[in-house]
Amino acid sequence: MAKVPSVRNVPSAVVAASGLVGGYGVARWTRKRQLGGVVLAAAGATAAQQWRQQAGGKAAGALTVAYVAAFAGSHPLAKKVGAWPAVFGVAGAVALASWAVADRHA
């Protein structure tokens, strides 16, 4: 029987970046911001759980703040560089922070 892949095998950096990019993409393509918010929140909660397991509560708290700040910061940044470049930029920053704090030690 084939083994089903688990989100536990996906690095938290990928989960977090995917939540930011996927949340924006879903909101844009469906024209339903709430649906994009669900994607953003689900990925953020999953990443936060991974961060807590891999690096502890303080690190998870700091990375969660970074995730939320990246989402909020992408809005004014989008006015300067465009929506997709802003989303990819903040997603990359969160992924790098996630890797540095949690994934490289796992």
Side-chain angles (χ1 to χ4, degrees):
M1 192 162 169
K3 195 171 189 177
V4 177
S6 169
V7 73
R8 294 175 207 212
N9 298 329
V10 178
S12 63
V14 173
V15 174
S18 297
L20 290 162
V21 173
Y24 175 69
V26 167
R28 181 170 178 147
W29 291 316
T30 65
R31 299 180 195 260
K32 297 189 183 331
R33 293 178 73 176
Q34 299 86 350
L35 194 53
V38 169
V39 172
L40 180 78
T46 301
Q49 186 177 38
Q50 289 178 297
W51 294 328
R52 191 176 313 106
Q53 291 171 349
Q54 293 172 354
K58 287 183 181 183
L63 288 168
T64 300
V65 167
Y67 184 82
V68 173
F71 167 70
S74 69
H75 293 83
L77 182 60
K79 292 180 182 184
K80 295 181 188 231
V81 300
W84 280 112
V87 170
F88 285 129
V90 299
V94 168
L96 181 61
S98 180
W99 174 82
V101 173
D103 291 337
R104 75 178 171 149
H105 302 295

